[in-house]
Amino acid sequence: MHQSAKITPFEALFGVKMRNKEDFNKIARARKACKYQNGDIVLIQKTQFNPGKKCTTKFLGTYKVMEGMPNDRYRVKKTGEVPNITTTAASYMKRYHVDDESL
């Protein structure tokens, strides 16, 4: 319980009181993954990190979404010189936004 707010951090974050750990698991799983369309440009989060690489980028990319698959998975193709086709989960993807000022 926080002294000044008089509520727990869980209640401040989710807006409900946590009765037990199962409540947290239900709320955490209830978050929906983003839906992507064919042709969307995305970045893919790195899942393996090397020591001493703290300042490197956290995402790989850019990739173009080719098709949707079951269970929030997508087949993506790397854009650029060497095309590489792979599959990834929506939870590891984020949309790539182009700055109009840089064009």
Side-chain angles (χ1 to χ4, degrees):
M1 173 92 47
H2 195 273
Q3 289 179 349
S4 63
K6 305 291 186 216
I7 58 173
T8 63
F10 182 87
E11 189 176 354
L13 190 61
F14 295 111
V16 294
K17 290 187 177 188
M18 183 172 75
R19 292 183 297 260
N20 51 31
K21 290 184 181 180
E22 286 79 28
D23 288 347
F24 175 76
N25 292 335
K26 288 177 189 176
I27 291 174
R29 276 192 237 125
R31 295 183 184 169
K32 298 289 182 188
C34 277
K35 298 292 182 188
Y36 298 97
Q37 303 295 322
N38 292 350
D40 284 351
I41 304 297
V42 296
L43 300 172
I44 298 177
Q45 184 178 359
K46 287 183 181 178
T47 55
Q48 297 177 348
F49 295 97
N50 297 327
K53 304 285 183 178
K54 186 175 183 179
C55 295
T56 61
T57 60
K58 306 285 190 269
F59 289 88
L60 302 170
T62 59
Y63 289 83
K64 186 175 188 176
V65 176
M66 295 176 59
E67 67 175 310
M69 300 169 62
N71 299 327
D72 290 329
R73 299 192 58 80
Y74 293 89
R75 187 176 314 278
V76 294
K77 179 179 179 182
K78 186 169 178 70
T79 59
E81 300 170 3
V82 183
N84 182 16
I85 298 173
T86 187
T87 59
T88 185
S91 58
Y92 292 118
M93 297 167 53
K94 77 172 187 178
R95 291 191 198 284
Y96 178 71
H97 299 285
V98 179
D99 281 340
D100 291 334
E101 297 172 3
S102 65
L103 294 177

